[in-house]
C-alpha cells in the first residue's frame, strides 16, 4: 500500500491550531454580537474549524445558531476559476442578525467577498468574518478584503488538512500541512 503513505509536511500542528482557536474566541469576546447571533460556515473547507470554534465559543454563552452555505469557486484544481457559485444557501433567517462568516482560507478574496455580499443582501444587521488561514500575497486587487479574525497568515503555498482538501483528499488530517512533491 505504498501509495497510501502520506507525504504531508506539517505547517501547523493540531495543538497549535487549538491554541489559535482559543485565541480567536478571546478576540471575539470583545465584540458585541447582538441578540441574534448566527455562525455560517462556508462549505466544505470550514467544517472542522467551525466545529472547533463553536465548542470554544460555548464559554462566551452567546448561543449561536449554526448554519452553512456551500460555495464553489474551485474545480478540482489549485487555482481559483474566477467564478463563485452558490450551491446551497443558508436555511436560517439572517435578517436583522449578527452573522459571523467562517471560511477556511482567504486567497484571492473572491469567495469571502461573495459570501459577505450575499449575507448582507439577505438583510443581516452586521457581518463579521473569520478565516482559519490568510494568504495576503494572493489577494486580487479586485477583492481588497481582509478578515476580522485570522487564524494564521501563510505564504503562497497550497495547504491541506483540517478541512482543506486537494482533490477531496486530506480533509481529515487534524493538522495543516503542505503536500510534498514526488
Ligand atoms: P478565493 O476565492 O479567496 O481565491 O479562494 C478561497 C477558496 O479557495 C478557499 O475557500 C479554498 O476552498 C480554496 N483555496 C485557496 N487556497 C487554498 C489552499 O492553499 N489549499 C486548499 N485546499 N484550498 C485553497
Ligand atoms: Mg472554501
Amino acid at each position: 500500500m505504498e501509495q497510501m503513505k502520506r507525504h504531508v509536511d506539517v505547517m501547523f500542528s493540531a495543538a497549535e491550531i487549538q491554541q489559535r482557536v482559543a485565541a480567536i474566541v478571546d478576540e471575539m469576546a470583545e465584540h458585541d454580537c447582538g441578540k441574534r447571533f448566527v455562525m455560517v460556515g462556508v462549505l466544505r473547507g470550514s467544517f472542522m474549524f467551525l466545529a472547533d470554534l463553536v465548542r470554544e465559543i460555548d464559554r462566551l454563552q452567546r448561543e449561536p445558531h449554526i448554519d452553512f452555505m456551500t460555495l464553489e469557486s474551485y474545480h478540482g484544481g489549485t487555482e481559483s476559476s474566477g467564478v463563485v457559485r452558490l450551491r446551497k444557501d443558508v436555511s436560517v433567517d439572517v435578517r436583522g442578525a449578527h452573522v459571523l462568516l467562517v471560511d477556511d482560507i482567504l486567497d484571492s478574496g473572491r469567495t469571502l467577498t461573495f459570501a459577505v455580499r450575499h449575507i448582507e443582501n439577505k438583510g443581516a444587521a452586521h457581518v463579521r468574518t473569520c478565516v482559519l488561514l490568510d494568504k495576503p500575497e494572493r489577494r486580487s486587487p479586485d477583492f481588497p478584503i481582509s478578515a476580522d479574525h485570522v487564524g494564521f497568515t501563510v505564504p503562497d503555498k497550497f495547504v491541506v488538512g483540517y478541512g482543506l482538501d486537494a482533490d477531496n483528499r486530506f480533509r481529515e488530517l487534524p493538522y495543516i500541512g503542505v503536500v510534498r512533491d514526488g
Side-chain angles (χ1 to χ4, degrees), residues 119-132:
I119 295 295
E120 282 174 351
N121 289 341
K122 291 176 81 80
H126 194 75
V127 182
R128 296 184 67 80
T129 53
C130 175
V131 296
L132 172 65

Side-chain angles (χ1 to χ4, degrees), residues 42-46 71 73-74 77-81 84 103-113 133 135 138-139 143 145 154-161 163-167 169 171:
V42 179
L43 291 176
R44 284 168 285 176
S46 73
L71 297 180
S73 64
Y74 247 59
T78 57
E79 281 292 319
S80 287
S81 70
V84 179
D103 203 358
D104 52 1
I105 182 162
L106 185 49
D107 190 39
S108 73
R110 199 175 269 116
T111 306
L112 199 63
T113 300
L133 302 170
K135 282 183 187 168
R138 294 265 307 165
R139 202 76 81 256
F143 305 101
I145 189 171
V154 293
D156 182 10
K157 286 187 178 163
F158 194 78
V159 293
V160 298
L164 290 108
D165 74 308
D167 275 333
R169 295 177 65 207
R171 289 194 200 274

Side-chain angles (χ1 to χ4, degrees), residues 7 10 35 93 127 136 172:
H7 305 281
V10 177
K35 283 203 191 77
D93 186 2
V127 182
E172 73 281 12

Side-chain angles (χ1 to χ4, degrees), residues 76-91:
T78 57
E79 281 292 319
S80 287
S81 70
V83 187
V84 179
R85 279 206 309 153
L86 180 67
R87 287 287 305 266
K88 186 208 155 282
D89 204 349
V90 289
S91 308

